[in-house]
Amino acid sequence: MDDLWSITTLLLQVWFSVMIGLIMIPAMFGLSLGVTSVYIQILVKILEVTAGMIYLCCSSLLFPGLIQREGGSMEQEMGELRRYRTQSISRGEFALSDSFYFYRKGLESIVDDQVTQRFSSEELVSWNLLTRTNHNFHYISLRLTVIWGLGVIIRYCVLFPLRITLAIIGISWLVIGTTLVGFLPNRRVKNWLSELVHLMCYRICARGLSATIQYHNKNNKPQKGGICVANHTSPIDIVILANDGCYAMVGQSHSGLMGVIQRSMVRSCPHVWFERSEMRDRHAVTSRLRAHVAAKCNLPILIFPEGTCINNTSVMMFKKGSFEIGGTIYPVAIKYDPRFGDAFWNSAKYNMVSYLLRMMTSWAIVVNVWYLPPMTRQEGEDATKFANRVKSAIAHQGGLLDMAWDGSLKRDKVKEEFKEHQQKMYSSMVVGKKARNSQEPHTESSKS
């Protein structure tokens, strides 16, 4: 019994020595020994081999999307439907064939809705050896089954204990460190120590996810007194961004463990937490954010204007409130590599604990972050147009689909104004053009 206890103690000492010496200390100072990079390269090779095996066994099951959508506008597509008739759409008259356009769009939305599919996991080109993405591929050959089984052992018996240990240490250090720093007087030393503690803790948490992050255009990093806006895929977006710099967080106050973390963080850094009653008061939120931005010594505010998590394929409508505050906007594009793990948080399907467990049992988190040039509101530009301009820039840089739909459709029904917009578009084509055509003879006669 004593020998067993001695062996267990020795293994624990080796475990923590390796973790502290090879992972935590380099992470705290932003260093890397290259182990994760080698691990990712090996993963890429394995996934390429398994993709070839799946293709040979299941090539007959591979097929393109169900829907081949037309790329034109409503007017162009209706004009195509009328091409076999003598009636032209430019005449501004109703045609029975116009109804087929709406039938087709309705069926396309039922079979392959482009909006609601943004709230489910991203579709993979090939299987990534995780049964959560496909439950059948690991049965198609013995070799693939063996590779999948070894992967399960590595992910759950080696990586998961290591990651959960690092996460616990990182979060505990964040709570203790920020609480202690909070007792210092408000001086430069306090601000410096606060930023140091935040950076160290977020870097440890990033290593707890085996995160490989590539930052581009660092010369455009958000500056103090500014507003950083980014597309939103996951709660770990905060860890990814804060791994390269400190931000003032904005969000609702919580209770429980999250509340403990929030209260400790705000002691050392001017994060902006709102009570539930304040969140409903848009003017109160805007005034507090304006006050934060007005102090140029404050850290840049980090805001996700979509208001919900989108599945790493697109950017949806930005809420205009973030763009009414004033100041300089620093856009940031975030794009995860889905081959190594699905970073999207489907809050309707998984709670936070389940989601984090899925992240910690994935292969890794591989992500690219692009800092875009700062943007300001142009003369005569309202907040909505400014938000759309920033959103388009983020979507273009990250290779994401730029969508005008509101992310609140994840939980709410389609607003009546969206339906009315389609009706107005068709009405302007039929009634509007017909009215213009009827006015032209009167104009010509008045000129004569």
Side-chain angles (χ1 to χ4, degrees):
M1 191 68 180
D2 292 338
D3 292 339
L4 181 61
W5 177 254
S6 300
I7 293 172
T8 304
T9 304
L10 179 62
L11 289 175
L12 288 175
Q13 289 176 347
V14 172
W15 175 266
F16 281 101
S17 298
V18 170
M19 186 177 60
I20 294 172
L22 300 181
I23 300 176
M24 282 186 57
I25 293 178
M28 289 165 60
F29 295 98
L31 303 175
S32 175
L33 302 179
V35 177
T36 305
S37 299
V38 174
Y39 167 67
I40 294 297
Q41 291 174 8
I42 294 172
L43 269 179
V44 170
K45 296 293 183 183
I46 293 174
L47 293 176
E48 287 176 353
V49 171
T50 55
M53 296 166 62
I54 292 170
Y55 181 80
L56 290 175
C57 297
C58 306
S59 58
S60 60
L61 299 178
L62 302 177
F63 53 88
L66 294 173
I67 300 293
Q68 184 175 358
R69 299 180 185 270
E70 300 290 341
S73 63
M74 178 188 290
E75 186 172 355
Q76 291 172 336
E77 293 188 38
M78 285 189 178
E80 187 70 16
L81 290 171
R82 294 189 185 192
R83 73 183 187 274
Y84 297 113
R85 301 185 50 181
T86 57
Q87 183 182 9
S88 172
I89 195 168
S90 61
R91 293 178 58 187
E93 296 179 1
F94 170 76
L96 185 60
S97 60
D98 293 349
S99 60
F100 290 107
Y101 168 82
F102 297 103
Y103 291 150
R104 183 174 65 189
K105 289 298 180 181
L107 289 173
E108 285 178 358
S109 297
I110 293 171
V111 176
D112 188 23
D113 182 11
Q114 285 189 316
V115 177
T116 55
Q117 65 176 289
R118 308 301 164 188
F119 309 131
S120 58
S121 295
E122 182 178 1
E123 197 170 318
L124 296 175
V125 176
S126 181
W127 188 43
N128 60 355
L129 297 176
L130 299 175
T131 50
R132 67 193 64 164
T133 55
N134 193 290
H135 296 277
N136 302 312
F137 277 151
H138 58 288
Y139 295 122
I140 63 177
S141 74
L142 179 61
R143 187 183 301 177
L144 197 61
T145 302
V146 171
I147 295 174
W148 168 78
L150 290 174
V152 171
I153 294 172
I154 292 171
R155 287 187 292 111
Y156 283 89
C157 299
V158 179
L159 295 179
F160 178 66
L162 177 65
R163 290 169 177 172
I164 197 72
T165 305
L166 287 172
I168 292 172
I169 292 173
I171 294 173
S172 302
W173 197 329
L174 179 65
V175 173
I176 296 171
T178 52
T179 301
L180 293 176
V181 171
F183 289 109
L184 298 176
N186 292 323
R187 294 179 181 175
R188 290 184 178 179
V189 176
K190 178 180 180 179
N191 296 334
W192 179 76
L193 285 175
S194 174
E195 292 182 19
L196 185 63
V197 169
H198 278 83
L199 272 176
M200 287 183 173
C201 295
Y202 282 123
R203 285 170 176 171
I204 292 172
C205 291
R207 296 295 170 92
L209 296 168
S210 298
T212 300
I213 313 168
Q214 186 69 38
Y215 298 98
H216 306 272
N217 307 323
K218 285 195 172 187
N219 55 306
N220 294 325
K221 281 179 62 174
Q223 302 298 316
K224 290 186 176 181
I227 304 171
C228 175
V229 299
N231 58 300
H232 198 23
T233 302
S234 159
I236 64 174
D237 292 340
I238 297 172
V239 177
I240 298 302
L241 293 177
N243 198 56
D244 190 45
C246 291
Y247 296 89
M249 309 298 175
V250 178
Q252 181 180 313
S253 298
H254 292 273
S255 57
L257 176 60
M258 184 62 71
V260 173
I261 297 173
Q262 286 181 325
R263 288 190 293 273
S264 63
M265 289 172 64
V266 82
R267 287 176 179 270
S268 64
C269 182
H271 299 289
V272 185
W273 308 127
F274 296 98
E275 297 297 333
R276 185 181 294 272
S277 58
E278 289 182 293
M279 290 296 288
R280 296 193 187 97
D281 188 348
R282 188 159 147 260
H283 296 290
V285 172
T286 303
S287 61
R288 285 193 61 183
L289 294 179
R290 275 205 184 107
H292 182 97
V293 173
K296 299 302 179 183
C297 59
N298 284 340
L299 292 174
I301 297 177
L302 176 59
I303 300 177
F304 300 104
E306 289 168 298
T308 190
C309 294
I310 311 299
N311 73 346
N312 196 45
T313 62
S314 58
V315 183
M316 302 192 79
M317 188 181 79
F318 279 6
K319 305 292 190 299
K320 67 177 182 179
S322 309
F323 301 88
E324 294 175 330
I325 300 170
T328 305
I329 298 292
Y330 294 88
V332 176
I334 306 173
K335 176 66 176 177
Y336 293 88
D337 191 332
R339 293 177 297 173
F340 307 100
D342 181 19
F344 168 61
W345 181 33
N346 187 349
S347 56
K349 191 174 181 181
Y350 303 104
N351 58 33
M352 179 63 77
V353 175
S354 300
Y355 169 77
L356 292 177
L357 290 176
R358 286 168 63 86
M359 288 296 95
M360 290 183 180
T361 53
S362 296
W363 291 113
I365 299 296
V366 179
V367 58
N368 282 279
V369 176
W370 290 272
Y371 297 113
L372 279 68
M375 302 174 70
T376 54
R377 196 162 159 181
Q378 297 175 350
E379 186 177 353
E381 185 178 41
D382 61 19
T384 302
K385 291 181 180 179
F386 184 30
N388 289 333
R389 184 160 61 90
V390 174
K391 175 171 69 76
S392 298
I394 290 174
H396 176 73
Q397 181 63 76
L400 304 165
L401 184 63
D402 185 3
M403 302 190 71
W405 292 95
D406 190 349
S408 62
L409 291 172
K410 189 176 188 177
R411 299 177 182 85
D412 302 331
K413 294 182 179 180
V414 178
K415 297 179 180 178
E416 289 298 324
E417 61 188 65
F418 290 116
K419 300 177 184 178
E420 292 173 0
H421 178 66
Q422 296 292 321
Q423 295 168 353
K424 288 178 181 178
M425 285 176 61
Y426 181 66
S427 175
S428 65
M429 289 166 48
V430 177
V431 180
K433 289 187 176 181
K434 188 173 182 179
R436 287 199 299 270
N437 291 338
S438 63
Q439 290 174 0
E440 287 176 0
H442 297 288
T443 306
E444 292 176 359
S445 61
S446 63
K447 287 181 180 179
S448 61

